[in-house]
Amino acid sequence: MKHVVTINQANLKESAHKGGCGNCQASCQSACKTSCTVANQKCEREEK
Amino acid sequence: MIHKYELNGLYIVLDVNSGGVHIVDELTYALLDHAAPPFAEECPPEILAAMSGYDPEEVRESYRELAALYEEKILFSPDEYEKFAAHAVASPVKAMCLNIAHDCNLRCQYCFASTGDFGTGRKLMTPETGRLAIDFLLERSGNRKNLELDFFGGEPLMNFDTVKEVVRYARSKESGCGKRFRFTITTNGLLLDDDKIDFINREMHNVVLSIDGRKEVNDRMRRTVGGKGCYDIILPKFRELVSRRSRDKDWYVRGTFTKHNLDFSEDVFSLYEAGFDQISVEPVVSDPACDYALTEEDLPAVFAEYERLAKRLLEQDKKGKHIHFFHFMIDLDQGPCAVKRLRGCGCGNEYVAVTPDGDIYPCHQFVGMEEYRMGNLHEGTFDTEMQQQFAKTHIYAKPACRDCWAKFYCSGGCNANNYQYQGDILKAHPLSCEMERKRVECAIMMQAVKAL
């Protein structure tokens, strides 16, 4: 494409179908404790 | 839904429901003010007329590219997640904040825990209560393998014997139960010594070291009981801990910025110059009446500072001096799944806090709010109806989140802040939302710069 560069896989939808295993970190347990952020957590599913 | 913005010379278009991030040229950025589904085979005349300042052939070409992205379902893609939210039910409890000490040896001006005791009296958790907390977590964690326990306070080093006993007890249960504990400790550092550093570096998966940045900024808010700033006491101890810490374990220096240091990127860089490259500096959340409180009038300055910080961090990267700034960390491909993003922090559902008395609350921020006491370890009680209620505090239950482009990044914000400042866990706290959106914009911009 000449006018648009897509920089990622845009795979949020696929992640919904095989997601929800719950093995990832609870988001408030990292550094924040006051300002919740979820998108910076890692997926820890053992079989992807 | 899309969100488009211009930052650092880039025209960025986020497709909210697929997570797609597109960098477009200025023409396409303008075209997106007019073009939207359904797309025609060719750019309609009225759109060409609206784009009269641009070469029509270029507009047609750009329009076709947008239509192709739409067909690929990575632009204007539909929201198909509400069905997952509709099935939200209580989860196993996998994470716990253990308020090991409702006491503190600092008197930080902005402390949400009322200088350590959460307004409930100064107390230390007994080893017995700590062991009961581990038993509760093991019993309630179902098939979750990774269990998280954060030693919090007050100041947990004031009750370090209980910390050690809880770790010993939890480790003794790991293999028999098929679980793995990951411990975190959050400390102000005053009581750190060689033995504690050794123990923490051996046992703790993550360490959060509280320091606000520049000496004058830190010492204005973070004072000892005698009223003196703590910077000179804690800095050498934090350096020692970090220098002896294994590289495969996490740690952060973590500060709070207030109205008094709206130039907080200086604090990030001050921490870096002091020898730390894992940094979190976060906005204070407080009663707007406090003189240090961030208010709506501060937002332009906060936004400008986040942008300045993002650009400064990118400059650092170019020099090969990377700084991990917690709130700008984002993985656009391998981040959490959509199901996690719907649920948010999980407080009151998969995450709870326990006080020295054994009282259970949805999280550390709810401690002391009697109406949100979920149970007590000694009484063997746990309010599973309240847990169900928290399981349903997903982004589709929050009116302000449903139509927010950032909902899959912040996942609904902090329920405790919502309750404390808006009176309802489902009502988003607008000031926090504004800052969160700005951080996400900066974080995505930084990823775009690195990807191009």
Side-chain angles (χ1 to χ4, degrees):
Chain A
M1 284 192 179
K2 181 176 155 189
H3 298 274
V4 182
V5 178
T6 302
I7 64 163
N8 67 342
Q9 296 170 27
N11 56 3
L12 192 58
K13 214 152 280 183
E14 292 81 66
S15 80
H17 293 288
K18 50 187 179 183
C21 76
N23 275 325
C24 52
Q25 191 176 38
S27 49
C28 219
Q29 290 288 76
S30 41
C32 58
K33 288 289 185 191
T34 58
S35 41
C36 182
T37 302
V38 170
N40 55 8
Q41 304 295 315
K42 292 176 198 156
C43 174
E44 297 192 51
R45 189 178 185 88
E46 292 191 343
E47 290 173 19
K48 293 191 186 181
Chain B
M1 184 194 301
I2 65 164
H3 172 63
K4 69 186 185 90
Y5 62 103
E6 191 266 328
L7 184 55
N8 199 20
L10 294 177
Y11 296 101
I12 299 168
V13 179
L14 172 67
D15 182 51
V16 172
N17 295 320
S18 71
V21 178
H22 312 286
I23 311 305
V24 303
D25 58 13
E26 192 265 336
L27 177 152
T28 306
Y29 191 77
L31 178 58
L32 280 164
D33 287 336
H34 310 287
F39 283 90
E41 289 231 347
E42 283 298 330
C43 186
E46 62 273 21
I47 292 181
L48 284 171
M51 294 286 290
S52 60
Y54 297 91
D55 176 345
E57 198 40 54
E58 293 280 321
V59 174
R60 286 191 188 94
E61 193 174 50
S62 172
Y63 183 90
R64 284 193 290 271
E65 290 188 12
L66 295 179
L69 293 171
Y70 173 67
E71 284 300 313
E72 267 189 75
K73 295 191 173 176
I74 56 174
L75 189 71
F76 298 109
S77 62
D79 184 339
E80 296 173 358
Y81 303 104
E82 194 158 2
K83 62 188 175 201
F84 295 101
H87 296 119
V89 292
S91 300
V93 180
K94 67 173 183 180
M96 181 180 277
C97 181
L98 211 51
N99 282 9
I100 208 85
H102 272 191
D103 197 359
C104 192
N105 43 10
L106 283 185
R107 294 292 179 266
C108 302
Q109 306 297 299
Y110 47 51
C111 184
F112 74 84
S114 307
T115 70
D117 75 350
F118 293 79
T120 59
R122 298 192 180 277
K123 289 173 191 164
L124 301 180
M125 182 176 285
T126 63
E128 184 206 359
T129 302
R131 288 190 293 267
L132 281 176
I134 296 295
D135 291 340
F136 175 89
L137 199 47
L138 290 170
E139 281 164 21
R140 296 268 171 186
S141 57
N143 62 354
R144 298 291 189 260
K145 187 176 173 189
N146 297 327
L147 305 183
E148 296 155 34
L149 198 82
D150 185 11
F151 295 104
F152 199 63
E155 170 50 41
L157 298 192
M158 293 179 76
N159 192 15
F160 205 62
D161 285 343
T162 298
V163 172
K164 289 202 277 194
E165 170 55 16
V166 171
V167 169
R168 184 204 65 76
Y169 184 70
R171 292 277 185 242
S172 76
K173 298 280 183 183
E174 278 182 317
S175 58
C177 298
K179 306 283 186 182
R180 183 170 54 198
F181 278 95
R182 294 195 295 204
F183 299 106
T184 295
I185 194 162
T186 301
T187 179
N188 66 30
L190 279 190
L191 295 177
L192 276 176
D193 58 26
D194 277 352
D195 287 347
K196 292 191 183 78
I197 288 173
D198 281 345
F199 184 85
I200 287 168
N201 280 348
R202 187 174 66 246
E203 296 291 353
M204 303 291 162
H205 173 75
N206 189 13
V207 183
V208 181
L209 306 166
S210 300
I211 182 171
D212 281 351
R214 290 164 289 181
K215 176 177 161 64
E216 65 272 22
V217 169
N218 182 83
D219 287 353
R220 179 173 190 153
M221 301 302 274
R222 302 185 66 79
R223 297 181 199 158
T224 63
V225 177
K228 292 184 178 165
C230 68
Y231 186 88
D232 290 335
I233 306 169
I234 60 174
L235 186 68
K237 295 183 180 199
F238 287 169
R239 281 178 171 151
E240 183 68 18
L241 185 149
V242 169
S243 72
R244 285 159 55 179
R245 191 157 175 80
S246 162
R247 296 178 70 88
D248 63 348
K249 290 187 172 173
D250 293 338
W251 59 273
Y252 283 94
V253 288
R254 189 240 183 260
T256 298
F257 73 85
T258 71
K259 190 190 277 289
H260 298 317
N261 61 314
L262 294 172
D263 58 346
F264 56 87
S265 75
E266 298 299 334
D267 295 291
V268 173
F269 275 79
S270 172
L271 290 167
Y272 179 70
E273 295 300 326
F276 307 108
D277 60 3
Q278 315 279 323
I279 300 170
S280 189
V281 173
E282 314 192 6
V284 71
V285 181
S286 67
D287 183 335
C290 298
D291 67 342
Y292 54 79
L294 295 167
T295 56
E296 202 171 328
E297 69 183 26
D298 298 316
L299 286 177
V302 171
F303 292 170
E305 195 62 12
Y306 273 130
E307 286 189 18
R308 181 164 171 254
L309 176 59
K311 291 171 189 172
R312 289 182 76 182
L313 294 174
L314 286 170
E315 286 299 313
Q316 282 291 114
D317 268 355
K318 276 191 206 161
K319 296 178 201 164
K321 296 177 176 177
H322 185 66
I323 300 174
H324 293 271
F325 181 70
F326 181 70
H327 270 162
F328 287 166
M329 287 163 56
I330 197 165
D331 184 337
L332 297 176
D333 285 319
Q334 299 295 324
C337 65
V339 177
K340 162 91 168 182
R341 292 171 192 249
L342 297 175
R343 291 177 182 164
C345 73
C347 81
N349 180 21
E350 57 183 10
Y351 169 53
V352 295
V354 172
T355 72
D357 289 330
D359 287 331
I360 304 167
Y361 288 91
C363 81
H364 54 288
Q365 295 274 357
F366 280 100
V367 168
M369 299 180 195
E370 187 57 28
E371 64 276 31
Y372 277 105
R373 196 174 77 97
M374 298 183 79
N376 182 279
L377 295 177
H378 298 283
E379 296 164 6
T381 52
F382 184 58
D383 185 342
T384 50
E385 278 185 27
M386 194 184 294
Q387 189 190 19
Q388 288 286 0
Q389 181 195 344
F390 274 93
K392 294 182 186 305
T393 60
H394 49 71
I395 52 179
Y396 291 96
K398 299 179 178 179
C401 299
R402 290 184 77 96
D403 300 320
C404 175
W405 65 263
K407 61 183 174 227
F408 294 123
Y409 296 89
C410 97
S411 301
C414 173
N415 292 328
N417 288 167
N418 294 352
Y419 180 66
Q420 206 166 356
Y421 299 110
Q422 303 297 116
D424 185 336
I425 57 175
L426 298 176
K427 280 189 184 162
H429 180 229
L431 195 73
S432 299
C433 295
E434 293 270 14
M435 290 188 280
E436 174 73 23
R437 281 191 284 264
K438 189 66 191 181
R439 290 193 293 266
V440 172
E441 285 189 343
C442 289
I444 291 174
M445 178 276 287
M446 292 176 74
Q447 292 301 312
V449 168
K450 291 172 189 175
L452 291 173

